[in-house]
Amino acid sequence: MKEKKIKVLKVEPMKHPEEAILNNSLQSLQAAVGGLIEIINLEENVCLLCNEEGKLIDLPGNRRVGDDIIAGTFYICGSDEDGELCSLPADKMNYYEKMFYEP
């Protein structure tokens, strides 16, 4: 069942990550990232939500993920077995908050 609101980790450029609540609709998610959304799988049941055109529209560089740099604000979300976004579990919230703590 799709959650109407999801608890996620918000990671903004030059700031420490913080917990946030997002409405789980396409329109709300696009507004959160400022445009078209891209979903990048980080591990099983955890994904990164960002602006697909972040670099093309000159959003500020944020954090390195693998060999790439994510531009603009992004969110770490949970995902269920059906691929739907859901709340990020507390243990993963803590893990990714530490991983992305330093800008």
Side-chain angles (χ1 to χ4, degrees):
M1 185 167 118
K2 184 175 176 179
E3 295 176 59
K4 293 184 187 221
K5 292 184 182 270
I6 55 174
K7 188 183 297 187
V8 298
L9 185 68
K10 180 180 183 179
V11 185
E12 294 181 273
M14 303 309 296
K15 293 185 179 180
H16 297 300
E18 63 184 12
E19 194 175 292
I21 303 290
L22 292 178
N23 288 322
N24 195 8
S25 68
L26 179 59
Q27 184 177 14
S28 294
L29 298 173
Q30 286 177 328
V33 299
L36 299 175
I37 60 173
E38 178 177 7
I39 297 174
I40 301 167
N41 288 320
L42 297 177
E43 63 175 287
E44 188 174 346
N45 299 324
V46 177
C47 58
L48 184 150
L49 176 74
C50 64
N51 186 314
E52 183 176 29
E53 300 176 321
K55 292 177 191 167
L56 296 174
I57 59 174
D58 290 326
L59 292 179
N62 192 340
R63 305 291 202 286
R64 180 176 293 280
V65 175
D67 293 333
D68 199 8
I69 293 179
I70 305 297
T73 299
F74 65 87
Y75 299 85
I76 306 298
C77 309
S79 63
D80 64 18
E81 301 80 31
D82 297 325
E84 295 284 342
L85 295 180
C86 62
S87 292
L88 188 63
D91 63 326
K92 297 298 181 181
M93 185 82 68
N94 292 333
Y95 175 81
Y96 285 99
E97 183 175 8
K98 289 176 185 169
M99 176 184 284
F100 293 121
Y101 189 74
E102 290 301 324

